[in-house]
Amino acid sequence: MSLLGASRTAARFVNSKNAACLLIASRNASSSTNLKDVLADLIPKEQTRIKNFKQQYGKTSIGQITIDMVYGGMRGMKGLVYETSVLDPDEGIRFRGYSIPECQQMLPKAPSGEEPLPEGLFWLLATGQIPTQEQVSWVSKEWAKRAALPSHVVTMLDNFPNNLHPMSQFSAAITALNSESSFARAYAEGVNKAKYWEFIYEDSMDLIAKLPCVAAKIYRNLYREGSSIGAIDSNLDWSYNFTNMLGYTEPQFTELMRMYLTIHSDHEGGNVSAHTSHLVGSALSDPYLSFSAAMNGLAGPLHGLANQEVLVWLTHLQKELGGEVSDEKLRDYIWNTLKSGRVVPGYGHAVLRKTDPRYTCQREFALKHLPNDPMFKLVSQLYKIVPDVLLEQGKAKNPWPNVDAHSGVLLQYYGMTEMNYYTVLFGVSRALGVLSQMIWSRALGFPLERPKSMSTEGLMTLVGAKSG
Ligand SMILES: CC(C)(COP(=O)(O)OP(=O)(O)OC[C@H]1O[C@@H](n2cnc3c(N)ncnc32)[C@H](O)[C@@H]1OP(=O)(O)O)[C@@H](O)C(=O)NCCC(=O)NCCS
């Protein structure tokens, strides 16, 4: 799409919620295909805008902190600045002001593809601008150029035992990749603060380029007898190279991966993986160290690992109840899960209060490409039953499905049955969001994160409660 075409399409989507963001985007719309040049142009303008905002409103109060919030995992507490995406409880995620359907329509696609290229989403997250086809091709080529792994990381991956979870392998390999960090090197050499973002940018581009190789190596080592991942083709897009390296040649699987890698990328700043990378990055740990920390958070069952948990739960369900199951039996099964003190994986959310649009988008993909798949039918049947059961139980604030309720079923359909691996795919995608934010965090000079903690005794004294 030409730049003019992109901004015309953008104009059609202007509404009250994203108008401000789009105005900034169109004001700065840039024709250079070099992302670093575009950022170098945007950053000083944004630094000035925020400096002026802080000068005028720096002492303005934006909310109240209650004791419940402090004990309740800081829910609803506004305490972070995160530019790349914002999550609305009812509407779901917007990437730089654009909803998932808008991104699906507006972001450039592969030749004969229908899903957006994740390269385009990265450009959007990093700049606030809908990229042109040429800008996206530039990113694909850059990532292909930067993809090679250092030999010590390959040796390390080859030496991991088969019983080490894929996410532990993924995180360890990313930590070890920090031998390549240009930010760490520049910092050791005394680089000026004003230039931090440039090295974070280089590391982020390198790391995103290398992640599919790390992920594919783990997959081949664990599930394909250590066969070679092959070579990167610089004429192919990031997802195409990734699915090739995994050993999947079905074009529809590549399309699925383009969509998957786009929608899992970012979910504002407070979720465990985004917040972790934000926090660790604030100590000026390089992007490799910050992102591997984020991956250890994503590996938790209440966060990213839920997509593995959903498939484990569905597989047990099928084993116990067989193929076609009545609604009544499903209800009993869900109640048994709840009564045994477990959660129904893939349902509920800390912020969302409606069906996750990432679930809806995957459901639409399934309706188009695999409407008669028995697992998809089961997931659809559960969609009709689980929310009512959760409402009846009356505990979960959000009874609706989240992203993880659907992703595994799509992967299974195309033959990726190794559910322990699913969170690694989520991790590859999450890099796009948290690393584009990290470039801005350093560009805007965000300080070390250091909130105040209190003991229960201290809180009681603070509010005048009687202790004991
Ligand atoms: C995502 C999740 C961690 C959000 O947690 P939260 O913000 O604390 O959620 P709520 O405020 O609604 O939780 C209130 C209660 O409902 C329970 N609850 C929430 N979702 C539930 C679910 N899917 N199944 C059963 N119980 C659930 C919580 O465990 C909590 O119980 P408690 O009072 O005994 O501690 C939670 O919904 C969950 O565990 N979901 C299943 C795992 C999952 O799908 N994770 C991926 C998220 S994208």
Side-chain angles (χ1 to χ4, degrees):
M1 191 187 288
S2 71
L3 200 66
L4 192 64
S7 61
R8 271 200 198 123
T9 321
R12 271 193 274 128
F13 283 105
V14 173
N15 63 30
S16 58
K17 272 221 156 121
N18 62 14
C21 181
L22 284 176
L23 277 179
I24 295 160
S26 63
R27 198 170 59 225
N28 295 322
S30 171
S31 58
S32 168
T33 52
N34 185 314
L35 180 56
K36 195 171 182 179
D37 290 346
V38 175
L39 284 166
D41 179 50
L42 290 176
I43 283 168
K45 293 175 189 155
E46 197 57 12
Q47 285 170 334
T48 308
R49 196 168 74 103
I50 293 174
K51 191 171 156 219
N52 293 342
F53 175 55
K54 275 168 58 186
Q55 252 165 19
Q56 204 177 345
Y57 293 98
K59 302 285 179 285
T60 306
S61 169
I62 55 165
Q64 210 189 4
I65 296 173
T66 64
I67 294 292
D68 275 347
M69 283 169 157
V70 177
Y71 279 101
M74 300 193 272
R75 292 291 184 288
M77 215 187 256
K78 295 182 184 75
L80 294 168
V81 180
Y82 197 85
E83 308 284 10
T84 50
S85 65
V86 177
L87 182 58
D88 181 88
D90 295 319
E91 195 190 53
I93 193 67
R94 276 185 181 269
F95 303 116
R96 291 280 187 179
Y98 296 97
S99 68
I100 287 178
E102 287 167 3
C103 286
Q104 281 180 300
Q105 184 165 351
M106 296 169 73
L107 290 175
K109 327 264 183 303
S112 76
E114 291 181 1
E115 296 297 337
L117 289 164
E119 287 90 325
L121 186 84
F122 179 72
W123 187 289
L124 171 65
L125 293 175
T127 65
Q129 300 171 5
I130 297 286
T132 61
Q133 200 80 46
E134 294 72 36
Q135 288 168 326
V136 164
S137 301
W138 182 88
V139 176
S140 300
K141 285 209 181 325
E142 274 294 296
W143 289 351
K145 215 161 61 185
R146 295 166 182 251
L149 298 182
S151 62
H152 73 91
V153 170
V154 175
T155 309
M156 178 180 168
L157 286 168
D158 286 342
N159 283 321
F160 280 140
N162 280 354
N163 64 354
L164 184 61
H165 192 280
M167 278 305 280
S168 309
Q169 299 199 20
F170 192 53
S171 151
I174 295 163
T175 300
L177 273 173
N178 106 309
S179 56
E180 311 308 294
S181 172
S182 50
F183 176 77
R185 217 169 304 123
Y187 190 85
E189 286 163 9
V191 67
N192 190 305
K193 269 180 177 194
K195 286 191 171 300
Y196 283 175
W197 77 263
E198 295 187 30
F199 296 94
I200 298 290
Y201 166 86
E202 295 299 341
D203 279 359
S204 299
M205 292 290 277
D206 284 344
L207 176 52
I208 293 169
K210 291 174 197 314
L211 286 176
C213 301
V214 174
K217 186 102 194 80
I218 293 168
Y219 188 76
R220 295 270 189 164
N221 280 352
L222 287 178
Y223 314 116
R224 295 291 182 272
E225 287 147 4
S227 55
S228 163
I229 60 171
I232 291 275
D233 182 340
S234 61
N235 293 314
L236 298 179
D237 62 88
W238 190 58
S239 315
Y240 202 136
N241 269 312
F242 187 21
T243 51
N244 260 355
M245 288 191 289
L246 288 167
Y248 288 78
T249 49
E250 158 80 62
Q252 237 174 56
F253 183 76
T254 305
E255 273 290 276
L256 170 65
M257 203 45 61
R258 291 178 182 128
M259 182 260 274
Y260 184 105
L261 295 172
T262 297
I263 65 172
H264 285 79
S265 58
D266 213 25
H267 222 218
E268 74 169 35
N271 68 76
V272 171
S273 53
H275 187 191
T276 303
S277 74
H278 204 61
L279 168 68
V280 177
S282 83
L284 299 186
S285 304
D286 64 59
Y288 299 92
L289 298 179
S290 310
F291 185 64
S292 63
M295 290 302 94
N296 290 332
L298 195 74
L302 295 188
H303 189 24
L305 201 81
N307 64 14
Q308 169 185 324
E309 295 291 296
V310 167
L311 255 291
V312 171
W313 188 78
L314 289 177
T315 310
H316 282 160
L317 186 157
Q318 282 196 317
K319 226 180 234 169
E320 206 173 305
L321 305 180
E324 294 216 346
V325 193
S326 68
D327 288 0
E328 213 38 53
K329 279 197 171 157
L330 275 187
R331 279 178 61 83
D332 291 346
Y333 191 87
I334 297 158
W335 269 115
N336 281 343
T337 301
L338 295 176
K339 282 179 187 155
S340 63
R342 290 175 294 153
V343 295
V344 179
Y347 280 77
H349 199 272
V351 178
L352 281 169
R353 294 296 175 256
K354 290 271 169 65
T355 296
D356 190 337
R358 300 172 300 174
Y359 175 94
T360 309
C361 158
Q362 295 181 90
R363 180 173 161 76
E364 277 161 12
F365 188 94
L367 284 168
K368 193 151 124 199
H369 298 294
L370 44 132
N372 299 317
D373 176 57
M375 275 298 238
F376 169 56
K377 285 187 169 166
L378 176 61
V379 164
S380 302
Q381 197 182 353
L382 285 164
Y383 187 22
K384 287 195 223 136
I385 299 170
V386 176
D388 283 344
V389 175
L390 286 175
L391 282 172
E392 202 177 322
Q393 191 206 26
K395 273 171 67 173
K397 292 191 189 69
N398 173 36
W400 301 105
N402 59 58
V403 67
D404 298 317
H406 217 306
S407 47
V409 169
L410 298 178
L411 298 168
Q412 294 250 321
Y413 177 77
Y414 293 100
M416 185 178 270
T417 53
E418 301 87 0
M419 38 195 111
N420 277 10
Y421 184 75
Y422 293 167
T423 314
V424 173
L425 299 177
F426 195 156
V428 172
S429 172
R430 188 43 57 105
L432 304 180
V434 303
L435 292 174
S436 49
Q437 174 57 43
M438 197 171 296
I439 297 168
W440 278 101
S441 297
R442 297 292 77 79
L444 297 172
F446 287 171
L448 182 83
E449 233 183 57
R450 190 19 177 127
K452 175 84 186 102
S453 70
M454 301 281 292
S455 65
T456 293
E457 201 57 39
L459 280 173
M460 286 178 169
T461 308
L462 190 68
V463 299
K466 277 201 195 104
S467 121

